[in-house]
Amino acid sequence: MKTLLVKNAYVIDPIQNISGEIMDIAVRDGKIVDDVKNPDDVIDAAGMLTLPGGIDSHTHICGTKVNFGRYMSPEDMRAGRTSRKGDMHATSGYSVPTTYGNSYRYSRMGYTTLLEGAMAPMEARHTHEEFRYTPLQDCLANTLFDGNWFALEAIENGDIKRLAGILAWYLSAAKGFGVKLTNPGGTEAWGFGEDVSCIHKPIPHFGITPREIIVKMIEANEMLNLPHSVHLHCNNLGKPGNYLCTLDTYNAIPDLNDKRQSLYSTHVQFHSYGGSSWNDFCSKAEDIAHSVNEKPQIVIDTGQVMFGKTTTMTADGPMEFNLYRLYHNKWSNHDVEMETGSGIIPVLYRKKNLVNAIMWSIGLELGLLVDDPWQCILATDNPNGAPFVKYPEVIALLMSKEYRDKEFETLHKSTGKRVALPAIERERTWDDIAVMTRAAQARALGLIDYGKGFLTEGAEADIAIYPISVDTTDPAREYERIINGFATTEYTIKRGDIVCRRGTCTLEGNHSTYWVKPHVPAAYDMSTDSEFIDGFNKYYSMRIANYPVGEEYIGRNVCMESEASL
Amino acid sequence: MQEIKDMVCPFCGCLCDDVTLGIENGSIVSTDNCCTIGNAKFLGKNRLKNPIQKVDGKWIDITYDEAVDAAVDILLDADRPLLFGWSGTHGEAQCVGVHMNEILGGVIDSTTSVCHGPSILAIQEVGHPGCTLGQVKNRADLVIYWGCNPIEAHPRHMSRYTTYADGYFLDNAFRNRKVIVVDVRETETAKVADEFIQIKSGGDYAVLSSLRAILRGKADMIPASVAGVSKTQLMQVAEMCKTCSFGALFFGVGLTMAKGKYKNVRNAIELVDDLNRHTKFTLTPMRGHWNVYGANEVFSWMTGYPFAVDFCRGVAFYNPGETTAIDILARKECDACMIIASDPAAHFPRACVEQIRDIPMIAIDPFQSLTTPLADLQIPVAVTGIDAEGTAYRMDGIPIKVKKVMDSGYPSDTEILTRIYQKMLEVKGL
């Protein structure tokens, strides 16, 4: 019966409509309770901004491609090394840190829950192995289905219930969380070196279009009653003029769930490009934001680009090859049979590069032009747009027009002609930031029912206490204080334990992995479907018996069960 | 006799997972679907019996508790310990090894540094366009084996994943798929190839460069013969590569350890890169030990570097050629070593083996090997895949759980290493 009392906290908790109240937060056995008597530990949080623990709903921290990012980049490893100290293990890496590096740095910023954005189910065991060594955050893994042959066949046959059964089997087998589509159809086409162009033309070898994949997957996802919606990386990523494809996609999205969105559209910065080539490249963030504002069924994350070195990594294999042909540095590609693919290249975003400057502006425009902060999540698609350690700077840019203007002055001189950013006066509020960094994530991921994202009775005691006095800080002027304040918490509390104090992590941690297990009727249970089993054993290079990830890989796990409506 | 299906073979990087074992009276009596080498491992008899320690030049029997204490003493007494091997054990044990090395401030290295280390150096320069083996099985209409001889070293590679493996887009693989073998001698694999390119020893780099030049429209520059290969054949092979729908290049230590070393691999990767501008092409190193790739994976996520990781500065430091096991031993730099799941005495240069002999050495292994007699302390352990379980990474990066079939009473590598690590923490007051 371990107890903790956080006293005099300045709390913003958007899920509970708490905006700047001075409160005490009582914790017993890792949960927030109404009150504790004679607490074992007391924290005086007077004058400190206190938020629910941060949630990153789209990051790349663990798994095959992330690890290959480390493997192929000793130069990145040298860029961020710390030695063993107290409970903290040695770390390496800047844009792709080691698992401990990710965990400590996120914890330092008050993050307690992380969603790995892309896990090939065949390689899921690897992601879970790395989760074990990410001790201070709860972890979830979106599971890739963009090129899944069984799923594509079911869509081609118009059998949506079978599609749902297939999703259910893979999610449970991979111990995955959400359904992820990366360049749907495009990663399959990349199997023979091709790609797709937007959503209307049939993909090679299957008589279906990316549009059908997206819409049918959304319908099947909702049939399974999963906590999260389909999580989509749209087609045509990074291509000038792709905003039309993005709008086309958004126009096809049905509104099927009254608790949350039907579509989580990720790293939208990379999908909001105007122009017909890099020569007339420009921002179309206004058009995209306008579309999102009209569609409550869509939530986006911004995929903010920040300047400096980073490593890009995605399941979108053809896109990475195209990007490699622009950058000429080094290129790794890894196609996963019957499922998906991936690519990795290092990049350097430069202020003096016009395209990069426009990309930076687009992310901020999205962050400011989407009216409802609940529909606009702050993320860099770590590490694609920038390493997550840049989040405090992104927050400051969204809160301060003065800071944006000052930064804008340092960019390529032609940027102003291609973007709307200098004309945008809006400055995000403290409440907006609390929504965009944790509350919106908790709702979009369906984690509120599991105690995530809020600070009242029944919640998991994941708490971030920042050394920022809201009453005496003007974010529009004092943006340096915002950056420093959000960079290092005074305390990060994970399930009631203080895991990080002023940047020093003080515990080995004991996190959980959240995964879904949808129950489907026997007719759609692929584990007993002879056609599925035979096809599996014929075409995979691994036996079906050896494919599912056992619970021994997960340690403390939270199995999110659902009953499918099939 | 009891039959157990879908077992995973812990011998080579193919990690075949369709093996059937026959069990009788608590021991494996037969294997099915297994190659001869895997069969020999499953039926292996030369197990070490119990921990022994060399005292005054003589071996004495000790208990596991005493072995753990002795290992801790040896490692903590050293100024520059080397923890070497790891390729024949499971990932969970490798993780403990990394934690242990962090406490010791030593060097941890795997057999990678004497096999595909050069491949990794090349990948670190130019990347790695690869894929999983099933992608090759289902799609590849052209397969190249360069500097490797799968029929003898990875006996089921061709039947499970390439030449003889029917796939989704090739329902008669043997007819529909072309195989090219590049080697310095006509191996068993070369005999079944559609095209055999015999190059003079040390000529790989020149041949790769010639192929790249032809692909880039510079065939005029190529002389009539390159490293013993005729221009006609080079032109023909370049055309085969360019016009296939999906090509897969596999390469072995015949390329990585030949003259030119990592530059050869770099050239091969860049050839594949060039080919991707014409068609789809991938490249895969033929990894030897069943979990040598796993050691690279584990070291990467825990330390940031795939092999040869030096913690003597407190932070992870990596400089192959300086922090690789061979170099540390050849310079007589390390003053104690722990050798686990590998047999360096069978493969290292003589000077390095002498250094292993001359310093306190702990051998953790299930079987007798050329290395075990040189040890001061032998700790027998279970064989992962027979009497212990754990995670392994196939040559294409696919993680597979290697299973336990029986209980022999031996501790697993993870158990023994964890005990050593815990004791180390205790002694150091951490």
Side-chain angles (χ1 to χ4, degrees), chain B residues 14 75 139 145 165 187 257 286 289 292 321 340 382 429:
Chain B
C14 287
L75 292 170
R139 294 179 195 264
Y145 285 109
T187 60
M257 288 295 163
M286 297 285 277
H289 286 82
V292 60
I340 177 165

Side-chain angles (χ1 to χ4, degrees), chain B residues 12-318:
Chain B
C12 81
C14 287
L15 276 177
C16 299
D17 73 332
D18 58 348
V19 174
T20 301
L21 296 179
I23 312 278
E24 223 167 52
N25 300 328
S27 63
I28 300 168
V29 293
S30 69
T31 68
D32 208 359
N33 277 348
C34 207
C35 71
T36 49
I37 321 179
N39 183 63
K41 180 153 184 188
F42 276 120
L43 303 178
K45 299 276 186 279
N46 281 337
R47 298 285 289 259
L48 296 172
K49 294 197 169 48
N50 54 279
I52 51 175
Q53 189 173 17
K54 210 180 270 172
V55 178
D56 300 329
K58 288 193 178 145
W59 290 109
I60 55 162
D61 289 344
I62 55 171
T63 65
Y64 275 99
D65 285 343
E66 289 165 335
V68 166
D69 289 348
V72 170
D73 288 345
I74 289 173
L75 292 170
L76 287 182
D77 278 351
D79 291 325
R80 188 140 176 80
L82 168 69
L83 311 182
F84 178 80
W86 307 104
S87 306
T89 187
H90 46 272
E92 293 79 356
Q94 294 161 352
C95 290
V96 182
V98 172
H99 280 147
M100 195 187 273
N101 193 51
E102 192 181 271
I103 299 290
L104 289 168
V107 170
I108 188 162
D109 194 13
S110 75
T111 58
T112 299
S113 62
V114 290
C115 61
H116 276 278
S119 310
I120 295 178
L121 299 188
I123 287 166
Q124 290 176 338
E125 281 193 358
V126 289
H128 177 193
C131 65
T132 66
L133 292 166
Q135 194 78 339
V136 176
K137 173 174 97 159
N138 286 317
R139 294 179 195 264
D141 53 354
L142 177 70
V143 172
I144 304 174
Y145 285 109
W146 196 306
C148 53
N149 182 9
I151 285 184
E152 288 177 294
H154 296 85
R156 294 187 70 215
H157 195 269
M158 296 170 90
S159 57
R160 266 176 71 82
Y161 309 119
T162 69
T163 321
Y164 307 105
D166 293 343
Y168 190 85
F169 294 102
L170 295 103
D171 53 11
N172 188 340
F174 187 59
R175 279 173 205 275
N176 301 337
R177 181 178 273 149
K178 295 275 179 257
V179 177
I180 300 172
V181 169
V182 188
D183 215 318
V184 293
R185 65 183 72 83
E186 191 180 11
T187 60
E188 289 302 309
T189 309
K191 287 178 189 158
V192 300
D194 296 279
E195 188 83 30
F196 171 47
I197 307 176
Q198 187 161 13
I199 56 174
K200 284 185 183 157
S201 180
D204 303 273
Y205 191 89
V207 171
L208 287 162
S209 296
S210 304
L211 289 171
R212 291 182 63 200
I214 295 166
L215 284 174
R216 291 180 169 223
K218 307 279 186 193
D220 293 352
M221 299 165 61
I222 308 299
S225 169
V226 179
V229 187
S230 72
K231 180 174 179 178
T232 318
Q233 192 180 24
L234 289 170
M235 296 287 286
Q236 191 184 328
V237 166
E239 192 60 24
M240 283 171 81
C241 291
K242 212 167 126 174
T243 52
C244 73
S245 317
F246 186 115
L249 168 61
F250 294 93
F251 65 100
V253 289
L255 186 66
T256 70
M257 288 295 163
K259 186 183 169 195
K261 288 213 163 182
Y262 90 98
K263 290 292 184 190
N264 292 337
V265 183
R266 177 179 170 143
N267 221 357
I269 296 171
E270 290 186 298
L271 169 67
V272 170
D273 176 344
D274 288 342
L275 283 165
N276 271 285
R277 292 145 207 267
H278 300 280
T279 182
K280 177 79 176 189
F281 230 96
T282 63
L283 164 142
T284 307
M286 297 285 277
R287 305 307 298 271
H289 286 82
W290 60 277
N291 196 24
V292 60
Y293 194 46
N296 301 144
E297 294 277 2
V298 166
F299 291 6
S300 293
W301 82 62
M302 297 196 68
T303 75
Y305 305 105
F307 66 106
V309 193
D310 185 352
F311 271 92
C312 78
R313 296 157 176 83
V315 294
F317 176 79
Y318 160 83

Side-chain angles (χ1 to χ4, degrees), chain A residues 121 143-146 148 150-152 154-155 160-181 213-224 226 230 516-518 520 524 526 532 566:
Chain A
T143 312
L144 289 157
F145 286 99
D146 38 70
N148 185 297
F150 294 110
L152 298 184
I155 296 170
I160 192 160
K161 290 186 176 180
R162 185 175 178 82
L163 172 63
I166 290 162
L167 297 184
W169 185 84
Y170 273 100
L171 285 166
S172 296
K175 303 287 177 282
F177 172 67
V179 173
K180 174 74 187 291
L181 304 177
I213 299 174
I214 295 164
V215 173
K216 298 300 169 195
M217 287 277 189
I218 289 174
E219 289 172 15
N221 188 85
E222 296 308 327
M223 281 180 174
L224 294 174
L226 294 175
V230 162
V516 299
K517 190 179 193 177
V520 297
Y524 299 102
M526 292 301 126
F532 180 79
L566 296 186

